[in-house]
Amino acid sequence: MTESRPPVRVRVVGAGAMGTGIAQLLATSGMEVRLADADPTALDRGLDRIGAQLAREVAGGRLDPATAAEVSARVTRLGSPTAPEPCDVVIEAVVEDLEVKRSLFRELESVLAPNTVLATNTSSLSVTAIAAVLDRPERALGLHFFNPVPRMRLVEIIPGVRTATSVVDFATALVARTGHVAVRATDTPGFLVNHAGRGYVTEALQLLEEGIAGPAEIDAIARDVLRMRMGPFELLDLTGLDVSVPVLESIWTGFYAEPRLRPSTLLRGRLHGGLLGRKTGEGFYRYRDGAKLPPEPVPVATVPVDRPFWTDDPSLAALLDGAGTRVERTGQPGERAVVLIAPEGVSVVAEARRRGLPVRRTCGVESIGDSTTRLVLAIHPGLDPEVGRVARSALAGTGREVSVVRDGPAGVAQRLLASIVNTAAGIAQARLATPDDINTAVRLALGYPTGPLAWGDRVGADRILTVLDGLFTQTGDPRYRPSRWIVERVALGLALADPGTAPEDIVAAGGE
């Protein structure tokens, strides 16, 4: 098709936020960029946006004025998106509409040299479907940047089913020249990042549907216990349900109603009701001038910790000891003791009954994640309210925030993390991306503390499997069936990030 060569002449079609961000990044990397848009006014605004962004970079000390002037000079206007002017690659960032993109590619093919690469920045459409209108579909691929382009360092490279290897090599070299990180994704719904991200928000919505906790508590647990940059409901409000709902539904239907990717019944009603998030002033939270309004203060009942506690969890015992709470050191709890347990992959009630503990005096505490700033207390309908109040006060006495949630088939943090890891493991099992690319893409594009497979390894793949098995057994919901990728690696003692031995390894070895 074309030999891999250093990209020099780039045409960017579409002068919106994505197109101008791509143009700025490429120009900053020393490439000559021609920016085009079917709307001359939009092109003017786009060039102004680049100038304003470069000025902010200079004001922030991230760019010197001379360099900013050079970058600005490398981005010039092109009168027509389909002008016959030669270039090495065209990157389109026009409206997310299949027929619009197909029409553009068809026109570009008719006026540009056969070795010109045609790249689409689509985030949700099939690259193969876009390229299908071309006489030479091997010249086309997906090159998915993330907004804001100069700061989001990840780029997904998505070959269509007929994309030439040399075109993939060309795109990889282009991304490398920008200093961004390229990952290879398969042309399937959501590609890599949007697919992997479903595990987080879909499980949060499931927790909300079940009444385990409200959006603010789930978000607080996600931030403080799992160390996520944003809670799932904060993220949905930031993106907007008008964007999120179609993505959630298209990925689910695109994988033929795969249960792990199932959206929530809560979303359509909120979408139709206009509760989109920040852009409408109200979503899961309320906003004023784009800023989240603080919730109404809720008085918290504080009671004296006048009862002993019993737990056989060493970390819980150490926390309570450190706060001056008396902890019984007996085989079974005394008659007045508040019982704290830390179950994994099972409800507090089921674990208490299994172990013969007094259910009416037994609460659960989240066992997965970081407990240095927040503890999660799980209570059940049969709990003595006084016991629950004393337990909350004792946990607050450790100096940590305390979230009180309803008992469920597993803890909130356990469920969120297990879903994140299981979704990523499903991607790896289907060979839609390599484990390294999955970890890199999610960490850079979604801001998780680490890649999902690496996260599962850090916590313990066996613990993740215990949670998933427990959820599947208790609920019967196939969304929780553990990926074979996890099951096999736990059985074999392999890391989740280990690709393992593949058939091609055996064939290659046999040919030596």
PDB file of all heavy atoms in Angstrom, residues 384-412:
ATOM      1  N   ASP A 384     -30.012  -4.383  64.669  1.00  0.00           N
ATOM      2  CA  ASP A 384     -30.452  -3.538  65.774  1.00  0.00           C
ATOM      3  C   ASP A 384     -29.958  -2.115  65.490  1.00  0.00           C
ATOM      4  O   ASP A 384     -28.745  -1.881  65.377  1.00  0.00           O
ATOM      5  CB  ASP A 384     -29.851  -4.076  67.076  1.00  0.00           C
ATOM      6  CG  ASP A 384     -30.242  -3.253  68.302  1.00  0.00           C
ATOM      7  OD1 ASP A 384     -30.708  -2.112  68.148  1.00  0.00           O
ATOM      8  OD2 ASP A 384     -30.048  -3.767  69.424  1.00  0.00           O
ATOM      9  N   PRO A 385     -30.862  -1.127  65.359  1.00  0.00           N
ATOM     10  CA  PRO A 385     -30.439   0.241  65.022  1.00  0.00           C
ATOM     11  C   PRO A 385     -29.402   0.803  65.981  1.00  0.00           C
ATOM     12  O   PRO A 385     -28.502   1.535  65.572  1.00  0.00           O
ATOM     13  CB  PRO A 385     -31.743   1.044  65.054  1.00  0.00           C
ATOM     14  CG  PRO A 385     -32.817   0.041  64.831  1.00  0.00           C
ATOM     15  CD  PRO A 385     -32.330  -1.223  65.465  1.00  0.00           C
ATOM     16  N   GLU A 386     -29.548   0.488  67.270  1.00  0.00           N
ATOM     17  CA  GLU A 386     -28.575   0.991  68.244  1.00  0.00           C
ATOM     18  C   GLU A 386     -27.182   0.462  67.922  1.00  0.00           C
ATOM     19  O   GLU A 386     -26.188   1.195  68.003  1.00  0.00           O
ATOM     20  CB  GLU A 386     -28.975   0.576  69.666  1.00  0.00           C
ATOM     21  CG  GLU A 386     -27.998   1.097  70.723  1.00  0.00           C
ATOM     22  CD  GLU A 386     -28.107   0.355  72.046  1.00  0.00           C
ATOM     23  OE1 GLU A 386     -29.038  -0.451  72.220  1.00  0.00           O
ATOM     24  OE2 GLU A 386     -27.231   0.586  72.899  1.00  0.00           O
ATOM     25  N   VAL A 387     -27.095  -0.804  67.549  1.00  0.00           N
ATOM     26  CA  VAL A 387     -25.809  -1.401  67.173  1.00  0.00           C
ATOM     27  C   VAL A 387     -25.220  -0.662  65.982  1.00  0.00           C
ATOM     28  O   VAL A 387     -24.024  -0.347  65.949  1.00  0.00           O
ATOM     29  CB  VAL A 387     -25.986  -2.903  66.862  1.00  0.00           C
ATOM     30  CG1 VAL A 387     -24.740  -3.467  66.175  1.00  0.00           C
ATOM     31  CG2 VAL A 387     -26.281  -3.681  68.135  1.00  0.00           C
ATOM     32  N   GLY A 388     -26.061  -0.359  64.993  1.00  0.00           N
ATOM     33  CA  GLY A 388     -25.575   0.353  63.819  1.00  0.00           C
ATOM     34  C   GLY A 388     -25.032   1.725  64.155  1.00  0.00           C
ATOM     35  O   GLY A 388     -23.991   2.146  63.645  1.00  0.00           O
ATOM     36  N   ARG A 389     -25.728   2.448  65.063  1.00  0.00           N
ATOM     37  CA  ARG A 389     -25.275   3.789  65.449  1.00  0.00           C
ATOM     38  C   ARG A 389     -23.949   3.720  66.211  1.00  0.00           C
ATOM     39  O   ARG A 389     -23.053   4.538  65.990  1.00  0.00           O
ATOM     40  CB  ARG A 389     -26.351   4.485  66.268  1.00  0.00           C
ATOM     41  CG  ARG A 389     -27.560   4.940  65.458  1.00  0.00           C
ATOM     42  CD  ARG A 389     -28.485   5.825  66.261  1.00  0.00           C
ATOM     43  NE  ARG A 389     -29.267   5.049  67.224  1.00  0.00           N
ATOM     44  CZ  ARG A 389     -30.457   4.535  66.980  1.00  0.00           C
ATOM     45  NH1 ARG A 389     -31.023   4.701  65.783  1.00  0.00           N
ATOM     46  NH2 ARG A 389     -31.112   3.858  67.913  1.00  0.00           N
ATOM     47  N   VAL A 390     -23.826   2.744  67.101  1.00  0.00           N
ATOM     48  CA  VAL A 390     -22.575   2.597  67.846  1.00  0.00           C
ATOM     49  C   VAL A 390     -21.434   2.221  66.892  1.00  0.00           C
ATOM     50  O   VAL A 390     -20.314   2.737  67.005  1.00  0.00           O
ATOM     51  CB  VAL A 390     -22.730   1.532  68.956  1.00  0.00           C
ATOM     52  CG1 VAL A 390     -21.375   1.222  69.604  1.00  0.00           C
ATOM     53  CG2 VAL A 390     -23.715   2.004  70.012  1.00  0.00           C
ATOM     54  N   ALA A 391     -21.720   1.329  65.940  1.00  0.00           N
ATOM     55  CA  ALA A 391     -20.689   0.924  64.982  1.00  0.00           C
ATOM     56  C   ALA A 391     -20.222   2.114  64.160  1.00  0.00           C
ATOM     57  O   ALA A 391     -19.016   2.304  63.936  1.00  0.00           O
ATOM     58  CB  ALA A 391     -21.227  -0.176  64.065  1.00  0.00           C
ATOM     59  N   ARG A 392     -21.165   2.946  63.728  1.00  0.00           N
ATOM     60  CA  ARG A 392     -20.780   4.120  62.933  1.00  0.00           C
ATOM     61  C   ARG A 392     -19.921   5.070  63.761  1.00  0.00           C
ATOM     62  O   ARG A 392     -18.913   5.599  63.285  1.00  0.00           O
ATOM     63  CB  ARG A 392     -22.026   4.845  62.427  1.00  0.00           C
ATOM     64  CG  ARG A 392     -21.675   5.914  61.396  1.00  0.00           C
ATOM     65  CD  ARG A 392     -22.690   7.023  61.305  1.00  0.00           C
ATOM     66  NE  ARG A 392     -22.118   8.080  60.486  1.00  0.00           N
ATOM     67  CZ  ARG A 392     -21.240   8.974  60.929  1.00  0.00           C
ATOM     68  NH1 ARG A 392     -20.832   8.932  62.200  1.00  0.00           N
ATOM     69  NH2 ARG A 392     -20.745   9.899  60.123  1.00  0.00           N
ATOM     70  N   SER A 393     -20.314   5.320  64.993  1.00  0.00           N
ATOM     71  CA  SER A 393     -19.548   6.223  65.855  1.00  0.00           C
ATOM     72  C   SER A 393     -18.142   5.684  66.109  1.00  0.00           C
ATOM     73  O   SER A 393     -17.162   6.444  66.120  1.00  0.00           O
ATOM     74  CB  SER A 393     -20.276   6.433  67.185  1.00  0.00           C
ATOM     75  OG  SER A 393     -21.464   7.171  67.005  1.00  0.00           O
ATOM     76  N   ALA A 394     -18.029   4.385  66.323  1.00  0.00           N
ATOM     77  CA  ALA A 394     -16.706   3.799  66.570  1.00  0.00           C
ATOM     78  C   ALA A 394     -15.815   3.926  65.345  1.00  0.00           C
ATOM     79  O   ALA A 394     -14.624   4.265  65.462  1.00  0.00           O
ATOM     80  CB  ALA A 394     -16.856   2.329  66.964  1.00  0.00           C
ATOM     81  N   LEU A 395     -16.368   3.688  64.159  1.00  0.00           N
ATOM     82  CA  LEU A 395     -15.564   3.822  62.944  1.00  0.00           C
ATOM     83  C   LEU A 395     -15.184   5.280  62.698  1.00  0.00           C
ATOM     84  O   LEU A 395     -14.067   5.581  62.276  1.00  0.00           O
ATOM     85  CB  LEU A 395     -16.320   3.247  61.743  1.00  0.00           C
ATOM     86  CG  LEU A 395     -16.569   1.731  61.774  1.00  0.00           C
ATOM     87  CD1 LEU A 395     -17.345   1.298  60.539  1.00  0.00           C
ATOM     88  CD2 LEU A 395     -15.256   0.962  61.865  1.00  0.00           C
ATOM     89  N   ALA A 396     -16.112   6.199  62.975  1.00  0.00           N
ATOM     90  CA  ALA A 396     -15.792   7.629  62.825  1.00  0.00           C
ATOM     91  C   ALA A 396     -14.706   8.037  63.807  1.00  0.00           C
ATOM     92  O   ALA A 396     -13.908   8.950  63.533  1.00  0.00           O
ATOM     93  CB  ALA A 396     -17.047   8.472  63.035  1.00  0.00           C
ATOM     94  N   GLY A 397     -14.639   7.347  64.950  1.00  0.00           N
ATOM     95  CA  GLY A 397     -13.613   7.651  65.943  1.00  0.00           C
ATOM     96  C   GLY A 397     -12.206   7.330  65.480  1.00  0.00           C
ATOM     97  O   GLY A 397     -11.238   7.737  66.121  1.00  0.00           O
ATOM     98  N   THR A 398     -12.076   6.616  64.367  1.00  0.00           N
ATOM     99  CA  THR A 398     -10.744   6.341  63.814  1.00  0.00           C
ATOM    100  C   THR A 398     -10.200   7.526  63.015  1.00  0.00           C
ATOM    101  O   THR A 398      -9.071   7.471  62.521  1.00  0.00           O
ATOM    102  CB  THR A 398     -10.781   5.108  62.895  1.00  0.00           C
ATOM    103  OG1 THR A 398     -11.560   5.399  61.723  1.00  0.00           O
ATOM    104  CG2 THR A 398     -11.371   3.897  63.616  1.00  0.00           C
ATOM    105  N   GLY A 399     -11.017   8.579  62.871  1.00  0.00           N
ATOM    106  CA  GLY A 399     -10.578   9.758  62.118  1.00  0.00           C
ATOM    107  C   GLY A 399     -10.910   9.693  60.645  1.00  0.00           C
ATOM    108  O   GLY A 399     -10.508  10.576  59.882  1.00  0.00           O
ATOM    109  N   ARG A 400     -11.671   8.690  60.252  1.00  0.00           N
ATOM    110  CA  ARG A 400     -12.028   8.527  58.845  1.00  0.00           C
ATOM    111  C   ARG A 400     -13.475   8.915  58.598  1.00  0.00           C
ATOM    112  O   ARG A 400     -14.307   8.857  59.507  1.00  0.00           O
ATOM    113  CB  ARG A 400     -11.796   7.070  58.413  1.00  0.00           C
ATOM    114  CG  ARG A 400     -10.334   6.673  58.413  1.00  0.00           C
ATOM    115  CD  ARG A 400     -10.184   5.181  58.597  1.00  0.00           C
ATOM    116  NE  ARG A 400      -8.792   4.744  58.456  1.00  0.00           N
ATOM    117  CZ  ARG A 400      -7.867   4.849  59.387  1.00  0.00           C
ATOM    118  NH1 ARG A 400      -8.182   5.383  60.565  1.00  0.00           N
ATOM    119  NH2 ARG A 400      -6.640   4.427  59.182  1.00  0.00           N
ATOM    120  N   GLU A 401     -13.759   9.297  57.338  1.00  0.00           N
ATOM    121  CA  GLU A 401     -15.148   9.457  56.941  1.00  0.00           C
ATOM    122  C   GLU A 401     -15.801   8.081  56.925  1.00  0.00           C
ATOM    123  O   GLU A 401     -15.132   7.071  56.670  1.00  0.00           O
ATOM    124  CB  GLU A 401     -15.244  10.100  55.556  1.00  0.00           C
ATOM    125  CG  GLU A 401     -14.685  11.505  55.468  1.00  0.00           C
ATOM    126  CD  GLU A 401     -15.546  12.502  56.228  1.00  0.00           C
ATOM    127  OE1 GLU A 401     -16.774  12.273  56.332  1.00  0.00           O
ATOM    128  OE2 GLU A 401     -14.995  13.502  56.728  1.00  0.00           O
ATOM    129  N   VAL A 402     -17.105   8.047  57.164  1.00  0.00           N
ATOM    130  CA  VAL A 402     -17.823   6.774  57.174  1.00  0.00           C
ATOM    131  C   VAL A 402     -19.021   6.861  56.228  1.00  0.00           C
ATOM    132  O   VAL A 402     -19.848   7.769  56.343  1.00  0.00           O
ATOM    133  CB  VAL A 402     -18.302   6.395  58.590  1.00  0.00           C
ATOM    134  CG1 VAL A 402     -19.056   5.060  58.561  1.00  0.00           C
ATOM    135  CG2 VAL A 402     -17.127   6.320  59.560  1.00  0.00           C
ATOM    136  N   SER A 403     -19.087   5.935  55.284  1.00  0.00           N
ATOM    137  CA  SER A 403     -20.267   5.783  54.428  1.00  0.00           C
ATOM    138  C   SER A 403     -21.083   4.621  54.955  1.00  0.00           C
ATOM    139  O   SER A 403     -20.536   3.537  55.206  1.00  0.00           O
ATOM    140  CB  SER A 403     -19.862   5.509  52.978  1.00  0.00           C
ATOM    141  OG  SER A 403     -19.279   6.642  52.386  1.00  0.00           O
ATOM    142  N   VAL A 404     -22.383   4.840  55.122  1.00  0.00           N
ATOM    143  CA  VAL A 404     -23.275   3.769  55.552  1.00  0.00           C
ATOM    144  C   VAL A 404     -24.113   3.347  54.351  1.00  0.00           C
ATOM    145  O   VAL A 404     -24.811   4.175  53.752  1.00  0.00           O
ATOM    146  CB  VAL A 404     -24.185   4.219  56.707  1.00  0.00           C
ATOM    147  CG1 VAL A 404     -25.094   3.068  57.150  1.00  0.00           C
ATOM    148  CG2 VAL A 404     -23.352   4.726  57.877  1.00  0.00           C
ATOM    149  N   VAL A 405     -24.020   2.075  53.979  1.00  0.00           N
ATOM    150  CA  VAL A 405     -24.723   1.554  52.812  1.00  0.00           C
ATOM    151  C   VAL A 405     -25.529   0.325  53.208  1.00  0.00           C
ATOM    152  O   VAL A 405     -25.328  -0.254  54.278  1.00  0.00           O
ATOM    153  CB  VAL A 405     -23.734   1.191  51.679  1.00  0.00           C
ATOM    154  CG1 VAL A 405     -22.885   2.393  51.292  1.00  0.00           C
ATOM    155  CG2 VAL A 405     -22.843   0.016  52.082  1.00  0.00           C
ATOM    156  N   ARG A 406     -26.448  -0.064  52.330  1.00  0.00           N
ATOM    157  CA  ARG A 406     -27.225  -1.274  52.572  1.00  0.00           C
ATOM    158  C   ARG A 406     -26.397  -2.507  52.222  1.00  0.00           C
ATOM    159  O   ARG A 406     -25.571  -2.474  51.310  1.00  0.00           O
ATOM    160  CB  ARG A 406     -28.514  -1.255  51.750  1.00  0.00           C
ATOM    161  CG  ARG A 406     -29.535  -0.244  52.239  1.00  0.00           C
ATOM    162  CD  ARG A 406     -30.807  -0.294  51.387  1.00  0.00           C
ATOM    163  NE  ARG A 406     -31.849   0.560  51.964  1.00  0.00           N
ATOM    164  CZ  ARG A 406     -31.952   1.864  51.730  1.00  0.00           C
ATOM    165  NH1 ARG A 406     -31.077   2.466  50.939  1.00  0.00           N
ATOM    166  NH2 ARG A 406     -32.924   2.561  52.284  1.00  0.00           N
ATOM    167  N   ASP A 407     -26.666  -3.575  52.931  1.00  0.00           N
ATOM    168  CA  ASP A 407     -26.009  -4.847  52.652  1.00  0.00           C
ATOM    169  C   ASP A 407     -26.407  -5.337  51.262  1.00  0.00           C
ATOM    170  O   ASP A 407     -27.540  -5.159  50.817  1.00  0.00           O
ATOM    171  CB  ASP A 407     -26.427  -5.873  53.713  1.00  0.00           C
ATOM    172  CG  ASP A 407     -25.674  -7.192  53.612  1.00  0.00           C
ATOM    173  OD1 ASP A 407     -24.550  -7.190  53.056  1.00  0.00           O
ATOM    174  OD2 ASP A 407     -26.212  -8.207  54.094  1.00  0.00           O
ATOM    175  N   GLY A 408     -25.477  -5.924  50.571  1.00  0.00           N
ATOM    176  CA  GLY A 408     -25.739  -6.490  49.260  1.00  0.00           C
ATOM    177  C   GLY A 408     -24.928  -7.752  49.083  1.00  0.00           C
ATOM    178  O   GLY A 408     -24.266  -8.215  50.022  1.00  0.00           O
ATOM    179  N   PRO A 409     -24.932  -8.321  47.883  1.00  0.00           N
ATOM    180  CA  PRO A 409     -24.206  -9.575  47.654  1.00  0.00           C
ATOM    181  C   PRO A 409     -22.694  -9.422  47.708  1.00  0.00           C
ATOM    182  O   PRO A 409     -21.978 -10.424  47.675  1.00  0.00           O
ATOM    183  CB  PRO A 409     -24.677 -10.013  46.268  1.00  0.00           C
ATOM    184  CG  PRO A 409     -25.163  -8.760  45.609  1.00  0.00           C
ATOM    185  CD  PRO A 409     -25.716  -7.907  46.705  1.00  0.00           C
ATOM    186  N   ALA A 410     -22.204  -8.201  47.772  1.00  0.00           N
ATOM    187  CA  ALA A 410     -20.779  -7.897  47.981  1.00  0.00           C
ATOM    188  C   ALA A 410     -20.688  -6.413  48.278  1.00  0.00           C
ATOM    189  O   ALA A 410     -21.635  -5.659  48.054  1.00  0.00           O
ATOM    190  CB  ALA A 410     -19.936  -8.265  46.768  1.00  0.00           C
ATOM    191  N   GLY A 411     -19.529  -5.972  48.765  1.00  0.00           N
ATOM    192  CA  GLY A 411     -19.342  -4.562  49.081  1.00  0.00           C
ATOM    193  C   GLY A 411     -19.352  -3.688  47.847  1.00  0.00           C
ATOM    194  O   GLY A 411     -19.125  -4.146  46.721  1.00  0.00           O
ATOM    195  N   VAL A 412     -19.594  -2.400  48.040  1.00  0.00           N
ATOM    196  CA  VAL A 412     -19.663  -1.451  46.927  1.00  0.00           C
ATOM    197  C   VAL A 412     -18.331  -1.399  46.176  1.00  0.00           C
ATOM    198  O   VAL A 412     -18.282  -1.524  44.947  1.00  0.00           O
ATOM    199  CB  VAL A 412     -20.055  -0.048  47.427  1.00  0.00           C
ATOM    200  CG1 VAL A 412     -19.915   0.988  46.315  1.00  0.00           C
ATOM    201  CG2 VAL A 412     -21.476  -0.064  47.977  1.00  0.00           C
TER     202      VAL A 412
END
